[in-house]
Protein backbone atom coordinates (compact mmCIF):
# COMPACT_ATOMS: atom_id res chain seq x y z
CA UNK A 1 0.00 0.00 0.00
CA UNK A 2 1.39 3.43 -0.97
CA UNK A 3 1.26 5.91 1.85
CA UNK A 4 0.72 9.63 1.09
CA UNK A 5 3.53 12.00 2.03
CA UNK A 6 1.17 13.78 4.38
CA UNK A 7 0.80 10.65 6.48
CA UNK A 8 2.37 10.92 9.88
CA UNK A 9 5.41 8.74 10.40
CA UNK A 10 4.15 8.15 13.90
CA UNK A 11 0.96 6.57 12.49
CA UNK A 12 2.58 4.88 9.51
CA UNK A 13 5.01 2.72 11.46
CA UNK A 14 2.51 0.77 13.58
CA UNK A 15 0.09 0.57 10.67
CA UNK A 16 2.81 -0.89 8.43
CA UNK A 17 3.69 -3.45 11.08
CA UNK A 18 0.03 -4.36 11.46
CA UNK A 19 -0.37 -4.69 7.67
CA UNK A 20 2.68 -6.94 7.45
CA UNK A 21 1.35 -9.12 10.25
CA UNK A 22 -2.00 -9.36 8.53
CA UNK A 23 -0.42 -10.38 5.23
CA UNK A 24 1.68 -13.01 6.99
CA UNK A 25 -1.39 -14.37 8.76
CA UNK A 26 -3.33 -14.62 5.49
CA UNK A 27 -0.45 -16.30 3.68
CA UNK A 28 0.19 -19.01 6.23
CA UNK A 29 -3.25 -19.61 7.69
CA UNK A 30 -4.40 -23.10 6.85
CA UNK A 31 -7.95 -21.99 6.23
CA UNK A 32 -7.46 -18.48 4.80
CA UNK A 33 -10.40 -17.23 2.75
CA UNK A 34 -9.21 -15.36 -0.33
CA UNK A 35 -11.12 -12.10 -0.69
CA UNK A 36 -11.34 -11.98 -4.50
CA UNK A 37 -12.07 -15.22 -6.30
CA UNK A 38 -11.17 -14.01 -9.80
CA UNK A 39 -7.51 -13.76 -10.81
CA UNK A 40 -7.13 -11.28 -13.65
CA UNK A 41 -3.89 -11.20 -15.66
CA UNK A 42 -1.38 -8.73 -14.29
CA UNK A 43 -3.10 -8.23 -10.93
CA UNK A 44 0.32 -8.45 -9.27
CA UNK A 45 -0.90 -9.93 -6.00
CA UNK A 46 0.91 -12.69 -4.18
CA UNK A 47 -0.23 -16.27 -4.64
CA UNK A 48 -0.74 -17.51 -1.07
CA UNK A 49 0.75 -20.64 0.44
CA UNK A 50 -2.79 -21.77 1.22
CA UNK A 51 -6.21 -20.38 0.38
CA UNK A 52 -9.72 -21.73 0.70
CA UNK A 53 -12.44 -21.01 -1.83
CA UNK A 54 -16.13 -21.72 -1.12
CA UNK A 55 -18.12 -23.92 -3.49
CA UNK A 56 -21.54 -25.55 -3.50
CA UNK A 57 -20.36 -28.53 -1.43
CA UNK A 58 -18.14 -26.73 1.08
CA UNK A 59 -14.70 -25.34 0.32
CA UNK A 60 -11.74 -26.10 -1.90
CA UNK A 61 -8.19 -25.61 -0.70
CA UNK A 62 -5.39 -24.51 -3.03
CA UNK A 63 -1.96 -25.26 -1.62
CA UNK A 64 1.34 -23.91 -2.95
CA UNK A 65 4.28 -25.80 -1.52
CA UNK A 66 7.35 -23.73 -0.74
CA UNK A 67 5.37 -20.75 0.51
CA UNK A 68 3.72 -17.69 -1.09
CA UNK A 69 4.86 -16.54 -4.54
CA UNK A 70 4.86 -13.08 -6.08
CA UNK A 71 3.01 -13.09 -9.40
CA UNK A 72 4.13 -9.72 -10.79
CA UNK A 73 5.67 -10.37 -14.22
CA UNK A 74 5.32 -14.12 -13.72
CA UNK A 75 4.51 -15.75 -17.12
CA UNK A 76 1.58 -17.79 -15.75
CA UNK A 77 -0.12 -14.60 -14.54
CA UNK A 78 0.97 -12.09 -17.19
CA UNK A 79 -0.72 -11.43 -20.53
CA UNK A 80 1.78 -11.90 -23.35
CA UNK A 81 -0.44 -11.95 -26.44
CA UNK A 82 -2.86 -9.59 -28.15
CA UNK A 83 -6.03 -11.03 -26.60
CA UNK A 84 -5.07 -9.99 -23.06
CA UNK A 85 -5.16 -13.48 -21.59
CA UNK A 86 -2.70 -15.22 -19.31
CA UNK A 87 -2.62 -18.90 -18.32
CA UNK A 88 -4.52 -18.01 -15.13
CA UNK A 89 -7.47 -16.70 -17.17
CA UNK A 90 -8.64 -20.23 -17.93
CA UNK A 91 -7.06 -21.92 -14.90
CA UNK A 92 -8.58 -20.18 -11.90
CA UNK A 93 -7.60 -21.20 -8.35
CA UNK A 94 -11.22 -21.04 -7.13
CA UNK A 95 -12.13 -23.59 -9.83
CA UNK A 96 -9.40 -26.06 -8.84
CA UNK A 97 -7.09 -24.54 -11.49
CA UNK A 98 -9.67 -25.18 -14.21
CA UNK A 99 -12.72 -23.05 -15.09
CA UNK A 100 -16.36 -23.67 -14.24
CA UNK A 101 -19.27 -22.65 -16.42
CA UNK A 102 -20.68 -20.70 -13.48
CA UNK A 103 -17.47 -18.66 -13.26
CA UNK A 104 -17.64 -17.87 -16.97
CA UNK A 105 -21.20 -16.60 -16.52
CA UNK A 106 -20.10 -14.40 -13.61
CA UNK A 107 -17.34 -12.86 -15.73
CA UNK A 108 -19.71 -12.19 -18.63
CA UNK A 109 -22.14 -10.42 -16.33
CA UNK A 110 -19.39 -8.47 -14.54
CA UNK A 111 -17.67 -7.27 -17.71
CA UNK A 112 -20.51 -7.24 -20.26
CA UNK A 113 -18.61 -9.92 -22.17
CA UNK A 114 -15.41 -7.89 -22.48
CA UNK A 115 -13.17 -10.05 -20.30
CA UNK A 116 -10.25 -11.64 -22.23
CA UNK A 117 -11.79 -14.97 -21.27
CA UNK A 118 -14.22 -14.48 -24.16
CA UNK A 119 -11.56 -13.96 -26.83
CA UNK A 120 -12.98 -14.72 -30.26
CA UNK A 121 -10.49 -17.44 -31.18
CA UNK A 122 -11.71 -20.04 -28.67
CA UNK A 123 -13.86 -18.24 -26.07
CA UNK A 124 -16.70 -18.00 -28.57
CA UNK A 125 -18.55 -20.68 -30.49
CA UNK A 126 -16.78 -19.50 -33.64
CA UNK A 127 -14.56 -16.48 -34.42
CA UNK A 128 -16.82 -15.62 -37.38
CA UNK A 129 -19.83 -14.92 -35.11
CA UNK A 130 -20.75 -11.45 -33.77
CA UNK A 131 -18.64 -11.36 -30.64
CA UNK A 132 -20.75 -8.87 -28.69
CA UNK A 133 -23.71 -11.29 -28.66
CA UNK A 134 -24.01 -13.53 -25.60
CA UNK A 135 -25.37 -16.31 -27.82
CA UNK A 136 -22.03 -16.41 -29.66
CA UNK A 137 -20.41 -17.62 -26.43
CA UNK A 138 -23.12 -20.06 -25.35
CA UNK A 139 -20.87 -23.14 -25.31
CA UNK A 140 -18.49 -21.52 -22.81
CA UNK A 141 -21.22 -19.88 -20.74
CA UNK A 142 -23.60 -22.83 -20.54
CA UNK A 143 -21.28 -25.84 -20.85
CA UNK A 144 -17.82 -24.54 -19.93
CA UNK A 145 -16.42 -25.42 -23.37
CA UNK A 146 -13.60 -23.82 -25.31
CA UNK A 147 -13.18 -24.25 -29.06
CA UNK A 148 -10.18 -26.43 -29.92
CA UNK A 149 -8.99 -26.11 -33.51
CA UNK A 150 -7.23 -29.18 -34.86
CA UNK A 151 -5.67 -29.78 -38.26
CA UNK A 152 -7.52 -31.89 -40.78
CA UNK A 153 -5.96 -34.14 -41.96
CA UNK A 154 -4.07 -34.59 -38.68
CA UNK A 155 -0.41 -33.70 -38.23
CA UNK A 156 2.21 -35.31 -36.03
CA UNK A 157 4.16 -33.48 -33.30
CA UNK A 158 6.63 -32.22 -35.90
CA UNK A 159 3.85 -30.75 -38.05
CA UNK A 160 4.06 -33.43 -40.73
CA UNK A 161 0.66 -34.45 -42.23
CA UNK A 162 -0.70 -37.87 -41.28
CA UNK A 163 -2.77 -39.83 -43.81
CA UNK A 164 -5.85 -40.90 -41.80
CA UNK A 165 -7.45 -44.28 -42.29
CA UNK A 166 -10.93 -42.71 -42.15
CA UNK A 167 -12.98 -40.03 -43.87
CA UNK A 168 -14.58 -37.22 -41.88
CA UNK A 169 -17.82 -35.49 -42.90
CA UNK A 170 -19.79 -32.79 -41.10
CA UNK A 171 -23.39 -33.87 -40.41
CA UNK A 172 -24.44 -31.10 -38.02
CA UNK A 173 -22.90 -27.65 -37.64
CA UNK A 174 -24.79 -25.57 -35.03
CA UNK A 175 -21.94 -23.06 -34.58
CA UNK A 176 -21.20 -22.57 -38.29
CA UNK A 177 -17.53 -23.17 -37.58
CA UNK A 178 -17.31 -26.44 -39.54
CA UNK A 179 -18.54 -24.77 -42.74
CA UNK A 180 -16.14 -21.86 -43.14
CA UNK A 181 -12.49 -21.08 -42.58
CA UNK A 182 -12.38 -23.17 -39.40
CA UNK A 183 -13.80 -26.38 -40.89
CA UNK A 184 -12.52 -29.45 -42.77
CA UNK A 185 -12.76 -27.83 -46.21
CA UNK A 186 -10.08 -25.36 -45.07
CA UNK A 187 -7.87 -27.90 -43.32
CA UNK A 188 -9.31 -27.61 -39.80
CA UNK A 189 -11.74 -29.26 -37.40
CA UNK A 190 -13.38 -27.39 -34.52
CA UNK A 191 -14.19 -29.43 -31.41
CA UNK A 192 -15.25 -28.14 -27.99
CA UNK A 193 -13.74 -29.23 -24.69
CA UNK A 194 -13.40 -28.42 -21.00
CA UNK A 195 -10.10 -26.99 -19.69
CA UNK A 196 -8.14 -29.57 -17.71
CA UNK A 197 -6.83 -28.53 -14.26
CA UNK A 198 -3.19 -27.51 -13.95
CA UNK A 199 -2.71 -28.83 -10.41
CA UNK A 200 -1.53 -32.04 -8.75
CA UNK A 201 0.72 -32.43 -11.79
CA UNK A 202 3.20 -34.80 -10.20
CA UNK A 203 0.40 -37.37 -10.36
CA UNK A 204 -0.48 -36.62 -13.98
CA UNK A 205 3.17 -36.86 -15.01
CA UNK A 206 3.85 -40.06 -13.05
CA UNK A 207 4.46 -43.21 -15.08
CA UNK A 208 3.28 -46.48 -13.60
CA UNK A 209 4.01 -48.74 -16.57
CA UNK A 210 6.93 -49.02 -18.97
CA UNK A 211 4.51 -49.48 -21.87
CA UNK A 212 0.98 -48.49 -22.90
CA UNK A 213 -1.18 -51.47 -21.92
CA UNK A 214 -4.14 -49.99 -23.81
CA UNK A 215 -2.25 -50.29 -27.10
CA UNK A 216 0.34 -52.94 -26.23
CA UNK A 217 3.04 -50.54 -27.40
CA UNK A 218 6.09 -48.90 -25.81
CA UNK A 219 5.47 -45.48 -24.31
CA UNK A 220 6.15 -42.56 -26.63
CA UNK A 221 9.35 -40.69 -25.85
CA UNK A 222 9.78 -36.97 -25.31
CA UNK A 223 11.80 -35.80 -28.35
CA UNK A 224 13.60 -33.24 -26.16
CA UNK A 225 14.60 -35.38 -23.16
CA UNK A 226 14.25 -38.88 -24.57
CA UNK A 227 12.22 -39.88 -21.50
CA UNK A 228 8.86 -41.71 -21.62
CA UNK A 229 5.72 -39.57 -21.47
CA UNK A 230 2.75 -40.31 -19.20
CA UNK A 231 0.01 -39.45 -21.70
CA UNK A 232 -2.23 -37.95 -19.01
CA UNK A 233 -1.90 -34.23 -19.77
CA UNK A 234 -4.30 -33.42 -22.62
CA UNK A 235 -7.68 -34.78 -23.63
CA UNK A 236 -6.53 -35.95 -27.07
CA UNK A 237 -2.90 -36.69 -26.24
CA UNK A 238 -1.60 -34.10 -28.70
CA UNK A 239 1.06 -32.87 -26.25
CA UNK A 240 2.85 -35.32 -24.00
CA UNK A 241 4.99 -32.95 -21.94
CA UNK A 242 4.46 -29.70 -20.08
CA UNK A 243 6.74 -27.89 -22.52
CA UNK A 244 4.74 -29.14 -25.50
CA UNK A 245 1.49 -28.26 -23.75
CA UNK A 246 2.73 -24.73 -23.02
CA UNK A 247 3.79 -24.19 -26.62
CA UNK A 248 0.39 -25.40 -27.82
CA UNK A 249 -1.52 -23.18 -25.36
CA UNK A 250 0.66 -20.15 -26.09
CA UNK A 251 0.09 -20.38 -29.84
CA UNK A 252 -3.66 -21.04 -29.58
CA UNK A 253 -5.39 -19.93 -26.39
CA UNK A 254 -3.07 -16.97 -25.81
CA UNK A 255 -2.58 -16.24 -29.54
CA UNK A 256 1.08 -15.42 -28.99
CA UNK A 257 2.86 -15.11 -32.31
CA UNK A 258 6.34 -15.93 -31.01
CA UNK A 259 7.43 -19.13 -29.27
CA UNK A 260 7.37 -19.10 -25.48
CA UNK A 261 10.98 -19.11 -24.30
CA UNK A 262 12.64 -21.73 -22.12
CA UNK A 263 13.03 -19.42 -19.12
CA UNK A 264 9.30 -18.68 -19.00
CA UNK A 265 8.47 -22.37 -19.42
CA UNK A 266 10.77 -23.22 -16.52
CA UNK A 267 9.02 -20.67 -14.26
CA UNK A 268 5.57 -21.96 -15.23
CA UNK A 269 6.67 -25.57 -14.71
CA UNK A 270 8.02 -24.71 -11.27
CA UNK A 271 4.75 -23.03 -10.27
CA UNK A 272 2.45 -25.71 -11.67
CA UNK A 273 4.50 -28.45 -10.04
CA UNK A 274 3.94 -26.90 -6.60
CA UNK A 275 0.16 -26.39 -6.83
CA UNK A 276 -2.13 -28.94 -5.18
CA UNK A 277 -5.90 -28.70 -5.01
CA UNK A 278 -8.58 -30.77 -3.30
CA UNK A 279 -11.81 -30.30 -1.41
CA UNK A 280 -10.98 -29.32 2.17
CA UNK A 281 -14.33 -29.13 3.96
CA UNK A 282 -17.92 -30.17 3.42
CA UNK A 283 -20.96 -28.15 4.38
CA UNK A 284 -22.55 -31.24 5.96
CA UNK A 285 -19.56 -33.30 7.07
CA UNK A 286 -17.11 -30.64 8.23
CA UNK A 287 -13.31 -30.75 7.69
CA UNK A 288 -12.18 -33.57 5.44
CA UNK A 289 -8.96 -34.06 7.40
CA UNK A 290 -10.78 -34.66 10.69
CA UNK A 291 -11.83 -37.80 12.52
CA UNK A 292 -8.84 -39.78 11.29
CA UNK A 293 -9.47 -39.03 7.60
CA UNK A 294 -6.75 -37.55 5.38
CA UNK A 295 -8.71 -35.49 2.88
CA UNK A 296 -7.50 -32.20 1.45
CA UNK A 297 -4.47 -31.27 -0.66
CA UNK A 298 -1.84 -31.64 2.07
CA UNK A 299 -1.93 -35.43 1.68
CA UNK A 300 -1.51 -35.01 -2.08
CA UNK A 301 1.53 -32.80 -1.62
CA UNK A 302 3.16 -35.28 0.78
CA UNK A 303 2.36 -38.56 -0.97
CA UNK A 304 4.25 -40.44 -3.63
CA UNK A 305 2.74 -40.16 -7.09
CA UNK A 306 2.09 -43.01 -9.49
CA UNK A 307 1.22 -45.69 -6.96
CA UNK A 308 -1.36 -48.24 -8.02
CA UNK A 309 -4.20 -48.14 -5.50
CA UNK A 310 -3.54 -51.47 -3.87
CA UNK A 311 -1.06 -53.21 -1.57
CA UNK A 312 -2.05 -51.21 1.49
CA UNK A 313 -2.89 -48.01 -0.41
CA UNK A 314 -6.38 -48.63 -1.84
CA UNK A 315 -7.90 -45.77 -3.80
CA UNK A 316 -9.72 -43.36 -1.45
CA UNK A 317 -8.35 -45.10 1.64
CA UNK A 318 -8.13 -41.53 2.95
CA UNK A 319 -11.65 -42.00 4.26
CA UNK A 320 -11.38 -45.49 5.79
CA UNK A 321 -11.43 -44.05 9.31
CA UNK A 322 -14.99 -42.85 8.70
CA UNK A 323 -16.26 -46.41 8.41
CA UNK A 324 -16.52 -46.38 12.22
CA UNK A 325 -18.49 -43.82 14.24
CA UNK A 326 -16.50 -40.87 15.60
CA UNK A 327 -17.58 -39.41 18.97
CA UNK A 328 -18.75 -35.82 19.16
CA UNK A 329 -20.31 -35.51 15.71
CA UNK A 330 -23.77 -34.24 14.94
CA UNK A 331 -26.09 -36.83 13.39
CA UNK A 332 -25.79 -35.04 10.02
CA UNK A 333 -21.98 -35.09 10.13
CA UNK A 334 -21.89 -38.75 11.12
CA UNK A 335 -24.33 -39.76 8.37
CA UNK A 336 -22.44 -37.85 5.68
CA UNK A 337 -19.04 -39.25 6.67
CA UNK A 338 -20.40 -42.79 6.76
CA UNK A 339 -21.81 -42.19 3.27
CA UNK A 340 -18.40 -41.08 1.97
CA UNK A 341 -16.77 -44.20 3.42
CA UNK A 342 -19.41 -46.38 1.76
CA UNK A 343 -18.89 -44.52 -1.52
CA UNK A 344 -15.18 -45.32 -1.42
CA UNK A 345 -15.94 -49.03 -1.02
CA UNK A 346 -18.53 -48.95 -3.83
CA UNK A 347 -15.98 -47.22 -6.07
CA UNK A 348 -13.46 -49.99 -5.37
CA UNK A 349 -15.61 -53.07 -4.93
CA UNK A 350 -18.91 -52.91 -6.85
CA UNK A 351 -18.18 -54.62 -10.15
CA UNK A 352 -20.04 -54.42 -13.43
CA UNK A 353 -19.55 -55.48 -17.04
CA UNK A 354 -17.46 -53.04 -19.09
CA UNK A 355 -18.11 -53.54 -22.78
CA UNK A 356 -17.34 -52.05 -26.20
CA UNK A 357 -14.88 -49.51 -24.77
CA UNK A 358 -11.78 -49.01 -26.90
CA UNK A 359 -8.68 -48.80 -24.72
CA UNK A 360 -10.21 -51.29 -22.28
CA UNK A 361 -11.82 -54.03 -24.36
CA UNK A 362 -9.56 -53.45 -27.38
CA UNK A 363 -7.09 -53.47 -29.10
CA UNK A 364 -5.11 -55.66 -26.70
CA UNK A 365 -7.88 -55.62 -24.17
CA UNK A 366 -9.00 -57.55 -21.15
CA UNK A 367 -11.85 -59.29 -22.94
CA UNK A 368 -15.19 -57.92 -24.09
CA UNK A 369 -16.93 -57.61 -21.73
CA UNK A 370 -14.69 -57.53 -18.69
CA UNK A 371 -16.02 -57.37 -15.14
CA UNK A 372 -14.46 -54.77 -12.87
CA UNK A 373 -15.20 -51.65 -10.83
CA UNK A 374 -14.65 -47.88 -11.18
CA UNK A 375 -11.18 -48.38 -9.72
CA UNK A 376 -10.22 -50.45 -12.77
CA UNK A 377 -9.40 -47.23 -14.65
CA UNK A 378 -9.37 -44.68 -11.81
CA UNK A 379 -6.68 -46.59 -10.01
CA UNK A 380 -3.94 -44.18 -8.86
CA UNK A 381 -3.72 -43.85 -5.10
CA UNK A 382 -4.56 -40.34 -3.78
CA UNK A 383 -5.64 -39.09 -7.19
CA UNK A 384 -7.98 -41.40 -9.07
CA UNK A 385 -6.52 -40.97 -12.53
CA UNK A 386 -5.07 -43.93 -14.44
CA UNK A 387 -1.64 -45.29 -13.59
CA UNK A 388 -1.63 -46.92 -17.03
CA UNK A 389 -1.12 -44.26 -19.72
CA UNK A 390 -3.27 -43.97 -22.81
CA UNK A 391 -6.77 -42.97 -23.87
CA UNK A 392 -10.14 -44.69 -23.44
CA UNK A 393 -13.52 -44.41 -25.20
CA UNK A 394 -16.33 -44.48 -22.65
CA UNK A 395 -18.89 -43.38 -25.21
CA UNK A 396 -19.21 -39.78 -23.97
CA UNK A 397 -18.77 -38.43 -27.52
CA UNK A 398 -19.75 -41.39 -29.72
CA UNK A 399 -23.25 -42.54 -30.55
CA UNK A 400 -25.19 -44.56 -29.47
CA UNK A 401 -23.84 -44.03 -25.96
CA UNK A 402 -23.34 -40.24 -25.90
CA UNK A 403 -26.03 -38.03 -24.41
CA UNK A 404 -27.91 -35.89 -26.96
CA UNK A 405 -25.92 -32.69 -27.41
CA UNK A 406 -27.53 -30.75 -30.28
CA UNK A 407 -25.42 -27.69 -29.45
CA UNK A 408 -22.26 -29.53 -30.59
CA UNK A 409 -21.19 -30.43 -34.13
CA UNK A 410 -21.73 -33.98 -35.31
CA UNK A 411 -19.27 -35.80 -37.56
CA UNK A 412 -19.65 -38.97 -39.61
CA UNK A 413 -16.49 -41.07 -39.54
CA UNK A 414 -16.13 -43.74 -42.22
CA UNK A 415 -13.30 -46.22 -41.74
CA UNK A 416 -11.39 -46.82 -44.96
CA UNK A 417 -9.79 -50.08 -43.93
CA UNK A 418 -10.73 -52.37 -41.08
CA UNK A 419 -13.93 -51.50 -39.24
CA UNK A 420 -13.80 -50.06 -35.75
CA UNK A 421 -13.80 -52.98 -33.28
CA UNK A 422 -16.99 -51.79 -31.54
CA UNK A 423 -18.82 -49.41 -33.89
CA UNK A 424 -18.30 -50.93 -37.34
CA UNK A 425 -17.41 -48.96 -40.47
CA UNK A 426 -19.42 -45.79 -39.74
CA UNK A 427 -19.27 -43.80 -36.49
CA UNK A 428 -21.18 -40.69 -35.49
CA UNK A 429 -19.33 -38.52 -32.98
CA UNK A 430 -19.28 -34.98 -31.60
CA UNK A 431 -15.52 -35.20 -31.05
CA UNK A 432 -13.19 -37.75 -32.69
CA UNK A 433 -10.84 -37.23 -29.74
CA UNK A 434 -7.52 -39.08 -29.92
CA UNK A 435 -8.16 -39.94 -33.58
CA UNK A 436 -7.48 -36.27 -34.43
CA UNK A 437 -3.96 -36.88 -33.11
CA UNK A 438 -3.23 -40.33 -34.54
CA UNK A 439 -5.39 -40.44 -37.68
CA UNK A 440 -6.59 -43.93 -36.71
CA UNK A 441 -10.25 -44.92 -36.94
CA UNK A 442 -9.80 -47.27 -33.97
CA UNK A 443 -9.06 -44.20 -31.81
CA UNK A 444 -12.28 -42.31 -32.57
CA UNK A 445 -13.82 -41.05 -29.33
CA UNK A 446 -10.90 -41.98 -27.12
CA UNK A 447 -10.24 -39.35 -24.46
CA UNK A 448 -7.63 -39.09 -21.71
CA UNK A 449 -9.26 -39.90 -18.38
CA UNK A 450 -9.91 -36.95 -16.09
CA UNK A 451 -8.36 -36.52 -12.66
CA UNK A 452 -10.94 -36.60 -9.89
CA UNK A 453 -9.69 -33.99 -7.42
CA UNK A 454 -11.50 -30.71 -6.86
CA UNK A 455 -14.62 -31.86 -8.69
CA UNK A 456 -17.01 -29.81 -6.56
CA UNK A 457 -15.40 -26.60 -7.85
CA UNK A 458 -15.27 -27.22 -11.58
CA UNK A 459 -18.59 -28.35 -13.07
CA UNK A 460 -19.57 -29.45 -15.67
CA UNK A 461 -17.81 -32.77 -16.27
CA UNK A 462 -16.43 -35.04 -18.98
CA UNK A 463 -14.35 -33.51 -21.75
CA UNK A 464 -17.47 -32.19 -23.49
CA UNK A 465 -19.25 -30.91 -20.37
CA UNK A 466 -22.13 -33.34 -20.88
CA UNK A 467 -22.57 -34.07 -17.15
CA UNK A 468 -23.83 -30.87 -15.54
CA UNK A 469 -23.18 -32.09 -11.99
CA UNK A 470 -21.58 -34.98 -10.13
CA UNK A 471 -24.84 -36.95 -10.13
CA UNK A 472 -24.75 -36.64 -13.92
CA UNK A 473 -21.44 -38.52 -13.95
CA UNK A 474 -22.93 -41.39 -11.97
CA UNK A 475 -26.05 -41.45 -14.13
CA UNK A 476 -24.01 -41.65 -17.34
CA UNK A 477 -22.05 -44.66 -16.09
CA UNK A 478 -25.28 -46.28 -14.91
CA UNK A 479 -26.84 -45.93 -18.38
CA UNK A 480 -23.67 -46.81 -20.25
CA UNK A 481 -22.79 -50.02 -18.41
CA UNK A 482 -26.15 -50.92 -16.77
CA UNK A 483 -24.46 -51.16 -13.38
CA UNK A 484 -27.58 -51.38 -11.22
CA UNK A 485 -26.70 -48.82 -8.54
CA UNK A 486 -29.34 -48.28 -5.86
CA UNK A 487 -30.34 -44.69 -5.02
CA UNK A 488 -28.34 -44.93 -1.80
CA UNK A 489 -25.25 -46.13 -3.68
CA UNK A 490 -25.59 -43.25 -6.13
CA UNK A 491 -25.78 -40.75 -3.28
CA UNK A 492 -22.80 -42.36 -1.55
CA UNK A 493 -20.76 -41.98 -4.74
CA UNK A 494 -21.88 -38.36 -5.14
CA UNK A 495 -20.80 -37.63 -1.56
CA UNK A 496 -17.45 -39.34 -2.12
CA UNK A 497 -16.72 -37.44 -5.33
CA UNK A 498 -17.78 -34.16 -3.70
CA UNK A 499 -15.15 -34.79 -1.02
CA UNK A 500 -12.19 -35.34 -3.36
Amino acid sequence: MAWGKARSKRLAAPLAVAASALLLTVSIAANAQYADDWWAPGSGRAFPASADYPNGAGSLRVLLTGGPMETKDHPFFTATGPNGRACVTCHQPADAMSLSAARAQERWDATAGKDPLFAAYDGSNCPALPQADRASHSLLLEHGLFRIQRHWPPRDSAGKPITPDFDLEVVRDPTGCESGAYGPAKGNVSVYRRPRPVANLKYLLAIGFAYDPKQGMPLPLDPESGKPMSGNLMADGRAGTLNAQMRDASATHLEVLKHIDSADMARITDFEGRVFTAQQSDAKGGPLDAGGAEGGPDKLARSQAGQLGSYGHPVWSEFEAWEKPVPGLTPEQAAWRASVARGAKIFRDKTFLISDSAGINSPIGFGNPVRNACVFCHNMSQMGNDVAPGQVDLGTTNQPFADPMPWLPLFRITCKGAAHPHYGKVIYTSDPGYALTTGRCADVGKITLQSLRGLASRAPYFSNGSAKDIRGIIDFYERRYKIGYTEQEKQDLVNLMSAL
Side-chain angles (χ1 to χ4, degrees):
M1 182 179 291
W3 296 93
K5 291 184 179 179
R7 292 280 187 183
S8 164
K9 291 183 179 180
R10 181 174 58 85
L11 292 174
L15 285 171
V17 171
S20 297
L22 177 61
L23 287 172
L24 179 62
T25 301
V26 169
S27 69
I28 65 174
N31 60 349
Q33 289 283 346
Y34 215 87
D36 184 4
D37 280 358
W38 182 259
W39 283 73
S43 64
R45 53 180 167 159
F47 198 95
S50 178
D52 289 359
Y53 295 92
N55 55 42
S59 66
L60 173 89
R61 179 163 295 175
V62 181
L63 181 69
L64 184 67
T65 62
M69 185 189 80
E70 294 297 328
T71 66
K72 181 176 171 49
D73 298 325
H74 191 284
F76 189 92
F77 299 88
T78 303
T80 55
N83 64 20
R85 282 183 182 170
C87 304
V88 74
T89 302
C90 304
H91 298 284
Q92 289 287 319
D95 293 348
M97 302 305 289
S98 177
L99 186 81
S100 66
R103 191 81 55 192
Q105 293 169 16
E106 289 176 5
R107 292 311 295 167
W108 182 276
D109 293 341
T111 67
K114 293 181 172 59
D115 193 280
L117 176 65
F118 305 105
Y121 178 79
D122 62 353
S124 70
N125 299 353
C126 190
L129 295 173
Q131 296 300 304
D133 292 355
R134 187 186 184 103
S136 298
H137 306 266
S138 62
L139 293 181
L140 176 53
L141 293 170
E142 297 171 17
H143 307 285
L145 301 173
F146 288 89
R147 189 180 73 91
I148 307 297
Q149 183 171 302
R150 300 300 316 273
H151 291 293
W152 181 257
R155 298 182 188 178
D156 63 20
S157 58
K160 183 179 178 180
I162 296 171
T163 301
D165 66 0
F166 62 90
D167 292 324
L168 181 148
E169 303 169 81
V170 178
V171 176
R172 182 178 66 218
D173 183 20
T175 69
C177 233
E178 310 299 346
S179 306
Y182 305 95
K186 298 295 183 181
N188 301 299
V189 175
S190 291
V191 291
Y192 299 84
R193 298 177 185 154
R194 298 282 292 118
R196 296 171 71 89
V198 288
N200 310 321
L201 285 180
K202 75 176 182 180
Y203 292 88
L204 300 182
L205 296 171
I207 296 173
F209 284 79
Y211 65 97
D212 177 357
K214 298 179 178 68
Q215 300 286 342
M217 300 289 288
L219 291 180
L221 302 179
D222 176 7
E224 295 181 46
S225 69
K227 296 180 179 179
M229 298 184 291
S230 72
N232 277 326
L233 283 179
M234 303 191 77
D236 57 16
R238 67 183 183 275
T241 66
L242 284 178
N243 282 358
Q245 183 274 328
M246 282 184 272
R247 292 190 189 101
D248 179 271
S250 177
T252 56
H253 306 305
L254 302 183
E255 299 182 83
V256 177
L257 299 180
K258 65 177 182 178
H259 288 301
I260 184 171
D261 65 39
S262 57
D264 282 347
M265 287 194 293
R267 294 181 70 190
I268 294 173
T269 298
D270 169 73
F271 167 71
E272 292 180 346
R274 296 192 289 121
V275 178
F276 294 88
T277 64
Q279 192 77 351
Q280 180 63 28
S281 68
D282 184 82
K284 295 179 180 178
L288 297 174
D289 56 0
E294 294 186 281
D298 184 65
K299 178 69 181 259
L300 288 173
R302 291 185 286 108
S303 298
Q304 180 180 343
Q307 290 184 308
L308 191 65
S310 58
Y311 308 113
H313 300 280
V315 173
W316 313 138
S317 58
E318 293 92 320
F319 304 108
E320 279 184 337
W322 287 353
E323 294 178 11
K324 299 178 181 179
V326 178
L329 296 179
T330 66
E332 183 181 46
Q333 286 177 321
W336 187 86
R337 292 184 182 187
S339 175
V340 170
R342 289 195 304 269
K345 296 192 75 171
I346 294 165
F347 193 95
R348 294 191 299 263
D349 299 340
K350 188 176 180 77
T351 63
F352 50 92
L353 292 176
I354 304 168
S355 61
D356 298 333
S357 298
I360 300 175
N361 306 113
S362 65
I364 302 300
F366 299 91
N368 189 21
V370 60
R371 179 172 287 278
N372 217 298
C374 301
V375 75
F376 188 43
C377 293
H378 296 283
N379 51 44
M380 188 182 290
S381 181
Q382 320 300 340
M383 190 65 174
N385 58 297
D386 198 350
V387 170
Q391 287 67 39
V392 168
D393 167 34
L394 299 175
T396 55
T397 68
N398 293 346
Q399 293 185 4
F401 304 117
D403 290 330
M405 292 174 285
W407 48 86
L408 291 180
L410 185 67
F411 305 98
R412 179 168 49 239
I413 305 295
T414 304
C415 305
K416 294 179 181 178
H420 188 281
H422 309 301
Y423 297 110
K425 279 277 190 179
V426 178
I427 310 165
Y428 289 89
T429 182
S430 62
D431 184 349
Y434 191 44
L436 293 178
T437 298
T438 66
R440 296 193 298 254
C441 190
D443 293 331
V444 171
K446 284 186 180 179
I447 299 289
T448 303
L449 272 70
Q450 299 280 327
S451 59
L452 298 185
R453 288 294 188 166
L455 287 174
S457 290
R458 53 185 178 92
Y461 308 106
F462 295 132
S463 65
N464 55 13
S466 57
K468 68 177 182 179
D469 52 27
I470 292 176
R471 176 58 185 260
I473 301 174
I474 310 302
D475 288 342
F476 174 81
Y477 278 99
E478 172 69 28
R479 293 192 303 273
R480 173 66 177 88
Y481 295 114
K482 300 178 177 61
I483 299 171
Y485 288 133
T486 66
E487 279 301 311
Q488 182 62 64
E489 287 174 326
K490 290 179 181 180
Q491 188 58 54
D492 292 342
L493 285 168
V494 168
N495 289 342
L496 166 70
M497 296 172 75
S498 298
L500 298 180

